Amino acid sequence: MTDGWRRLDARMLLVHPLETLVRFLPALLAVVFFRSGSDDHDRWELYAVPVLVAYGVLRWVTTRYRVADGQIELRRGLFTRQTTTARLDRVRTVDLTAQLHHRVLGLAKVEIATAGGKADTLVLDSLSTGAGRRLRAELLHRAGGDEGTVALTADDPGTTPAVPTGQPSGQPSGQPSGHPSGDELLVRLDPRWVRYAPLTVTGIASAAAIVGFVSQGFSRFVQERSVVREGATWVASLAWWVDVVLLLGVVSLLAVGAYVLTFWGFRLVRNERGSLHTRRGLLTNRETSIDVGRVRGLQLDEPLGLRLAGAARLRVVTSGLLRERGGSDWLCPPAPDEVVTPLALRIRDDVAAVTGPLTPHGPAARRRRLTRAVVPATVAAAALVVARVAWDWHGSLLVAVPLLLVGGVALGLDRHRALGHAVTERHLVTRQGSLDRRRVVLDRDGIIGWTVEQTFFQRRAGLATLVATTAAGRQHYDLVDVPVATAYAVLARVDPDLHAEFA
């Protein structure tokens, strides 16, 4: 291509008309339905098919891109020419997404996220899978200052990283022998990890949402089909605990299905420059590349179910990930602790930050955690008692009263045990949460600002929330209900110059 301009893959001519046709299919079906009784035999709505094909050809002819002069350029349009450019040093991540029809044709959609966020995302749909991976390597390597030859990564066709002999599947590994370009396979999915799917809050919530959607969508179907109606009547006749077991079984199966669809084939690779590359997905294959220079820390998630099973999951704290693309920050799906913890240490070699003890937040924080957990439980218990006395609800509901009170106390104490922080040579560590506990290892040099917040009740208790602001991840990470003196001590240790301004 002249002056380095390149075209999208010609196979996009099969993808784009198909996607457009699917998008407008309801409208086309509606037109066909309403015209079915018409005497007009001129099926003009069918003209839309060659129009869509022509539109796809025009889009392929008029779309070009190139990497030159320290930037990537995307040019498209025939009558109105639009050129989008992004400097390579502002490229944050490069995502390769391949839905089922892309994978059949060997194509992928490349999404290039820059410092400007979603509005400045460049999308190339579609490139061949190999070309997309080479472009990803080219962008990230040149963004790092190397204008020389770009080596193919381990994700290129024909290169399959292998775990060293004797290394259990799914365990973090060193660099495999003969692995191309010095890339290092850090972790890959062990199919046995699907057993953790029902133990996460998000997995259960997603499965419950699916159950609710399906039950609503099939309500009319149940009413109109006698066999299904009889089956529903049979289920309703079962003991309540049997219904609960059946519901939990269905929710667990759906959670496992969501886990498989999302993480099947997951693997994490680190190239010789330190950049991280993940690949995951069963039907829709998604590859994400994260520039090591944009990583600002790690987040270890330990929901209650995973903690009880001795498992956890790992995310990266980084800037530039596409926020609407949930899961792009995964470094390890729910997996055993003996996999997640060593992996975290390979990415952030700070034992004190990743696994070390944390400074607790004291008795005042414990009182606040207990109050915030016990008060709602007490209100709910009182409501059950009122319902029993005033409206003659079934007496068995009163069994839940002591359970609510004991559960509230247990939840408050567990939340207090979770609260903690630490400051190491390179990191600020914060942890909080019970049902969804999170331990964040944040790079000190990635913190760009601080806020000390106090609510009315915190002031009365002598506590504060110290907020560390960063350009990555959630944008802020909080030390919740920490004593005021401790908050300023942490600030003084991490950023002495800024502490002087607070003082």
Side-chain angles (χ1 to χ4, degrees):
M1 192 70 65
T2 307
D3 297 329
W5 288 102
R6 317 173 201 175
R7 292 191 191 276
L8 302 178
D9 195 282
R11 285 170 288 183
M12 71 166 282
L13 298 176
L14 299 175
V15 172
H16 287 229
L18 175 63
E19 292 179 340
T20 305
L21 184 62
V22 170
R23 190 159 52 245
F24 289 100
L25 186 59
L28 291 176
L29 291 177
V31 171
V32 172
F33 175 78
F34 285 114
R35 284 174 50 85
S36 59
S38 174
D39 295 333
D40 186 2
H41 299 290
D42 185 10
R43 312 306 299 181
W44 51 264
E45 65 271 12
L46 299 179
Y47 299 156
V49 176
V51 170
L52 293 176
V53 174
Y55 173 74
V57 173
L58 184 64
R59 186 173 178 182
W60 178 73
V61 170
T62 59
T63 302
R64 302 179 183 182
Y65 70 98
R66 70 175 178 180
V67 181
D69 301 325
Q71 62 184 13
I72 179 171
E73 300 177 64
L74 174 62
R75 180 178 294 175
R76 53 193 172 186
L78 179 62
F79 302 106
T80 302
R81 179 65 57 85
Q82 178 182 358
T83 302
T84 306
T85 63
R87 286 168 32 198
L88 297 184
D89 59 2
R90 296 179 66 83
V91 172
R92 297 300 188 253
T93 58
V94 181
D95 273 19
L96 269 68
T97 304
Q99 297 181 4
L100 190 58
H101 54 281
H102 286 95
R103 296 172 63 182
V104 169
L105 296 173
L107 300 175
K109 179 166 66 174
V110 182
E111 298 176 84
I112 305 162
T114 67
K118 179 181 177 181
D120 294 329
T121 299
L122 277 71
V123 180
L124 303 176
D125 186 10
S126 306
L127 297 179
S128 69
T129 304
R133 290 168 179 163
R134 289 191 292 272
L135 176 62
R136 175 184 64 192
E138 182 179 3
L139 292 175
L140 293 180
H141 286 193
R142 288 194 176 185
D146 182 7
E147 298 290 340
T149 303
V150 177
L152 299 183
T153 69
D155 290 334
D156 285 299
T159 62
T160 303
V163 177
T165 303
Q167 179 71 42
S169 175
Q171 296 290 335
S173 64
Q175 180 177 322
S177 175
H179 201 275
S181 306
D183 289 352
E184 178 185 14
L185 176 64
L186 296 178
V187 71
R188 68 180 178 187
L189 182 75
D190 186 330
R192 293 173 295 180
W193 297 350
V194 299
R195 67 183 184 271
Y196 298 119
L199 303 179
T200 63
V201 176
T202 53
I204 294 176
S206 300
I210 294 174
V211 170
F213 176 78
V214 171
S215 63
Q216 289 293 329
F218 281 88
S219 59
R220 181 180 297 273
F221 180 81
V222 170
Q223 295 173 0
E224 296 177 355
R225 298 295 187 272
S226 59
V227 175
V228 178
R229 186 169 60 250
E230 292 173 1
T233 303
W234 175 78
V235 171
S237 66
L238 298 175
W240 66 268
W241 62 269
V242 177
D243 291 337
V244 171
V245 171
L246 289 175
L247 179 61
L248 290 177
V250 172
V251 169
S252 297
L253 288 175
L254 290 174
V256 168
Y259 186 102
V260 171
L261 289 174
T262 304
F263 295 115
W264 192 256
F266 182 94
R267 64 176 180 172
L268 172 67
V269 175
R270 178 167 56 189
N271 69 15
E272 58 187 358
R273 294 178 172 273
S275 295
L276 301 171
H277 306 276
T278 64
R279 178 190 293 183
R280 61 187 176 90
L282 181 62
L283 299 180
T284 298
N285 189 268
R286 181 163 293 125
E287 301 180 25
T288 301
S289 297
I290 305 170
D291 181 7
V292 65
R294 314 302 177 189
V295 175
R296 294 293 179 262
L298 300 173
Q299 177 176 309
L300 288 93
D301 293 338
E302 299 174 299
L304 179 60
L306 291 184
R307 289 205 311 276
L308 295 177
R313 57 193 181 194
L314 186 65
R315 298 176 184 267
V316 64
V317 178
T318 187
S319 59
L321 287 179
L322 299 176
R323 298 190 179 279
E324 72 279 6
R325 182 65 50 75
S328 292
D329 56 351
W330 289 102
L331 294 183
C332 186
D337 283 332
E338 57 266 24
V339 173
V340 176
T341 300
L343 175 62
L345 288 171
R346 294 184 71 85
I347 298 173
R348 281 295 182 266
D349 186 17
D350 188 341
V351 176
V354 175
T355 62
L358 303 180
T359 302
H361 289 184
R366 181 174 62 249
R367 288 193 297 271
R368 275 182 56 81
R369 297 296 100 185
L370 282 170
T371 300
R372 292 165 68 97
V374 171
V375 168
T378 303
V379 172
L384 289 178
V385 173
V386 170
R388 168 60 179 163
V389 173
W391 299 295
D392 196 28
W393 281 21
H394 200 282
S396 61
L397 292 176
L398 296 180
V399 177
V401 172
L403 296 178
L404 285 171
L405 297 177
V406 173
V409 173
L411 180 62
L413 292 176
D414 191 54
R415 285 178 175 176
H416 174 256
R417 282 193 296 268
L419 280 182
H421 68 275
V423 180
T424 69
E425 186 70 23
R426 291 174 289 145
H427 299 102
L428 170 68
V429 185
T430 176
R431 188 182 67 185
Q432 61 175 299
S434 176
L435 300 179
D436 193 13
R437 182 174 297 177
R438 299 187 302 272
R439 181 181 181 126
V440 178
V441 179
L442 189 63
D443 295 353
R444 289 170 53 167
D445 57 9
I447 299 174
I448 59 177
W450 297 89
T451 303
V452 179
E453 299 177 347
Q454 283 186 291
T455 66
F456 171 77
F457 295 104
Q458 282 181 319
R459 288 198 301 272
R460 290 177 58 88
L463 301 174
T465 297
L466 180 63
V467 181
T469 305
T470 178
R474 296 171 176 263
Q475 312 296 315
H476 67 89
Y477 294 91
D478 306 342
L479 278 67
V480 179
D481 285 344
V482 66
V484 176
T486 304
Y488 284 102
V490 170
L491 178 56
R493 183 174 176 186
V494 177
D495 198 336
D497 296 333
L498 193 59
H499 174 262
E501 297 182 13
F502 276 84

